[in-house]
Amino acid sequence: MTRTAVVHDYKHPQPGATSTLTLDERVSQEIIKNGIKRPKGYTVSYHANPEVEKMHFGPKHPMKPWRLTLTNKIVLAYGMHEAMDVYIPRAATFQEMTEYHKDDYIQFLSWVTPKIKLDPEASNIFPYNMGDDCPVFDGLYEYCSLYSGASLDAARKLTNNQSDIAINWSGGLHHAKKAEASGFCYINDIVLAILQLLLYHPRVLYIDLDVHHGDGVEQAFWSTDRVMTLSLHKYDKANFFPGTGGSDDTGPKNSANPGAHHSLNVPLQDGIDDESYVQLFKDVVSPCIGTYQPTAIVIQCGGDSLGGDRLGCFNINIRAHGACVEFTKKLCLPLLVLGGGGYTPRNVARLWAHETSVCLGTDLHASLPAHTPFIEHFAPDKSLYPELSQTGRYDNKNTGKYLREIVTSIREQLRYVQGSPSVQLQHVPPDLGAVRDEVEREIQEEREAKDFGRRRKERGAGIRGDNDATPTEKAEGPEVAK
């Protein structure tokens, strides 16, 4: 049969463009080159909803959800997705978010839009702390429900034994309070995730690596001994947000309160370097593990503690930050890994891609794959591990003596922790899984109702009338007619 002219003259619509097959081949080469494979003995899950990446706080706001796009592109370019269970989680429901937050606050987030002029004098708006740091933007409620849903999904994978390490880089928004936004954070997904873990785990250790104090999480679990919070951060009560987290902030002052001595803080000065930071991390985490004996760990990996961050003041490089995640991983406890701060997007993406590889137990080559989308944003070196400690370097004001005093203070506080607490006679929060099942049933019912309505319209239009129905469909009615 003679080939037609159309087929004979066909050319690729984009001459010289990389085909999907070629891209797959390049990713496969990276997988082999970097030795990427599924970990033996444990499972890593990756929770990412691409809709979060589209959100925009405003042109001058330092929070850029687009950093998640860069992160995911690097992860995909190296082929790390092949070694993980990758999930696109659903959004959290109103009921799930009100497991911690107040109903009226979540209702406010659900209806407020940029077109509504916020009046600082209005009592129903001002208490929610909306403003320059926490602006109202298009899609705000969707944004909150998406990143919170991803953290909940990750926590459930841990409690269901479907995963041993669960990652959600869109989460980790640790400043949000019960009834107000704070520090670029609206919903405290960390608290929601920990509540989920507490359904199955008697004790959870929360570790915060953000340059800012994890005040929202600390406040949420202030009066319980079932969660121990440990935050390493820059501390300057008068000049650095949020101005909390001093070494003497250890929980309720009344020793009879179960939460007393369960809020531990590591207040740091400007300029801490790699060696000091990693050693300090090990020196404070190890006694916490030995004394508290947690059964699960949540670690917030805020990237603003890196050197050269737009809002940071440390001299830490990517590998040093990742070494803290590596140390935590080696404790072999169920681990929830979350994002957080970080306001130089290219460096945050590098960090979180590296820490994804840490979770997988893989050493990545420093040069970013040539096929990485948006690779021009990582110029001029196009490296995964640029030297950040020299970028806008701060003098290290953390002396050896000062750091030793911090370690001594932490150990002293742990002396008051009377062993690992039991969960007997403790209130256990309701299972959010029941809410999830109910939502999924509602979604299924809506789909079935739409299908039934469509079939009725088709019959009315003569596409398939009653006379065309099969005997079985006539006998059993429209509910079984497909």
Side-chain angles (χ1 to χ4, degrees), residues 180-462:
E180 69 174 32
S182 177
F184 315 159
C185 306
Y186 301 87
I187 298 296
N188 202 314
D189 63 290
I190 306 172
V191 174
L192 296 177
I194 291 176
L195 288 174
Q196 181 68 25
L197 292 174
L198 289 175
L199 297 174
Y200 300 88
H201 291 280
R203 297 171 301 282
V204 175
L205 173 63
Y206 170 69
I207 304 173
D208 196 309
L209 300 180
D210 201 281
V211 75
H212 301 94
H213 177 227
D215 58 333
V217 182
E218 179 182 277
Q219 185 181 107
F221 299 107
W222 185 256
S223 295
T224 180
D225 58 3
R226 293 192 59 203
V227 178
M228 175 174 282
T229 61
L230 174 64
S231 178
L232 294 81
H233 52 269
K234 153 77 175 184
Y235 177 69
D236 184 336
K237 187 173 184 178
N239 301 304
F240 196 79
F241 180 87
T244 56
S247 57
D248 57 344
D249 295 332
T250 61
K253 300 303 181 182
N254 185 350
S255 59
N257 190 307
H261 308 292
H262 283 75
S263 299
L264 305 179
N265 288 294
V266 180
L268 299 171
Q269 306 302 317
D270 291 348
I272 191 166
D273 57 26
D274 290 354
E275 183 178 357
S276 299
Y277 190 81
V278 174
Q279 188 59 53
L280 176 65
F281 180 86
K282 294 177 179 179
D283 288 344
V284 297
V285 170
S286 294
C288 290
I289 296 295
T291 300
Y292 188 63
Q293 297 180 24
T295 56
I297 298 176
V298 177
I299 185 167
Q300 194 263 25
C301 303
D304 48 8
S305 48
L306 291 175
D309 188 80
R310 181 176 175 182
L311 299 183
C313 54
F314 291 167
N315 299 322
I316 300 173
N317 284 294
I318 288 171
R319 283 194 173 96
H321 200 287
C324 298
V325 177
E326 173 73 18
F327 181 82
T328 307
K329 171 195 166 188
K330 288 182 177 179
L331 297 172
C332 297
L333 293 170
L335 179 61
L336 176 57
V337 182
L338 301 173
Y343 308 101
T344 304
R346 62 184 180 275
N347 293 337
V348 177
R350 287 166 162 141
L351 172 69
W352 291 346
H354 168 65
E355 291 180 339
T356 300
S357 74
V358 167
C359 293
L360 293 172
T362 299
D363 292 325
L364 299 176
H365 287 266
S367 297
L368 290 171
H371 56 270
T372 304
F374 311 113
I375 195 170
E376 65 275 8
H377 288 277
F378 303 95
D381 58 319
K382 298 179 181 179
S383 169
L384 186 64
Y385 304 111
E387 180 59 50
L388 301 180
S389 61
Q390 302 302 321
T391 305
R393 184 176 179 84
Y394 287 79
D395 291 336
N396 189 353
K397 298 179 180 179
N398 300 275
T399 65
K401 177 182 178 182
Y402 177 70
L403 296 179
R404 288 192 295 273
E405 289 174 350
I406 289 177
V407 174
T408 300
S409 175
I410 293 294
R411 292 179 180 274
E412 182 65 22
Q413 291 301 324
L414 289 171
R415 289 179 59 244
Y416 293 96
V417 177
Q418 302 298 319
S420 54
S422 170
V423 298
Q424 291 182 359
L425 302 180
Q426 295 276 0
H427 170 69
V428 179
D431 190 352
L432 294 180
V435 178
R436 174 196 61 193
D437 295 338
E438 182 180 351
V439 171
E440 291 175 350
R441 283 195 300 271
E442 290 175 356
I443 293 173
Q444 182 61 30
E445 289 172 358
E446 290 177 0
R447 288 175 179 170
E448 291 175 353
K450 288 180 180 179
D451 290 343
F452 177 60
R454 175 180 54 79
R455 291 195 298 272
R456 293 193 63 178
K457 289 181 180 179
E458 289 175 350
R459 291 194 183 100

Side-chain angles (χ1 to χ4, degrees), residues 61-270:
H61 200 285
M63 175 63 94
K64 308 293 183 185
W66 188 64
R67 62 195 180 150
L68 299 169
T69 301
L70 294 178
T71 302
N72 293 332
K73 295 302 183 185
I74 297 177
V75 169
L76 292 170
Y78 276 107
M80 286 186 276
H81 59 288
E82 295 288 347
M84 302 182 286
D85 294 337
V86 180
Y87 297 94
I88 301 179
R90 64 168 176 80
T93 65
F94 181 95
Q95 289 78 11
E96 287 173 324
M97 289 187 283
T98 54
E99 284 296 323
Y100 171 61
H101 294 282
K102 287 189 175 181
D103 289 16
D104 57 349
Y105 174 55
I106 303 301
Q107 288 172 353
F108 167 78
L109 293 177
S110 70
W111 62 257
V112 70
T113 69
K115 295 180 181 179
I116 299 175
K117 187 176 181 180
L118 299 183
D119 181 6
E121 302 300 325
S123 60
N124 64 329
I125 291 177
F126 186 66
Y128 300 129
N129 201 29
M130 310 299 284
D132 292 338
D133 280 357
C134 299
V136 175
F137 56 88
D138 286 322
L140 173 59
Y141 183 76
E142 181 185 10
Y143 169 70
C144 294
S145 60
L146 285 171
Y147 75 74
S148 299
S151 291
L152 282 170
D153 186 53
R156 290 191 184 110
K157 292 300 184 291
L158 294 175
T159 58
N160 293 339
N161 295 319
Q162 293 176 262
S163 179
D164 299 291
I165 301 175
I167 303 170
N168 171 30
W169 295 126
S170 68
L173 278 70
H174 58 171
H175 293 306
K177 309 302 191 298
K178 190 177 184 69
E180 69 174 32
S182 177
F184 315 159
C185 306
Y186 301 87
I187 298 296
N188 202 314
D189 63 290
I190 306 172
V191 174
L192 296 177
I194 291 176
L195 288 174
Q196 181 68 25
L197 292 174
L198 289 175
L199 297 174
Y200 300 88
H201 291 280
R203 297 171 301 282
V204 175
L205 173 63
Y206 170 69
I207 304 173
D208 196 309
L209 300 180
D210 201 281
V211 75
H212 301 94
H213 177 227
D215 58 333
V217 182
E218 179 182 277
Q219 185 181 107
F221 299 107
W222 185 256
S223 295
T224 180
D225 58 3
R226 293 192 59 203
V227 178
M228 175 174 282
T229 61
L230 174 64
S231 178
L232 294 81
H233 52 269
K234 153 77 175 184
Y235 177 69
D236 184 336
K237 187 173 184 178
N239 301 304
F240 196 79
F241 180 87
T244 56
S247 57
D248 57 344
D249 295 332
T250 61
K253 300 303 181 182
N254 185 350
S255 59
N257 190 307
H261 308 292
H262 283 75
S263 299
L264 305 179
N265 288 294
V266 180
L268 299 171
Q269 306 302 317
D270 291 348

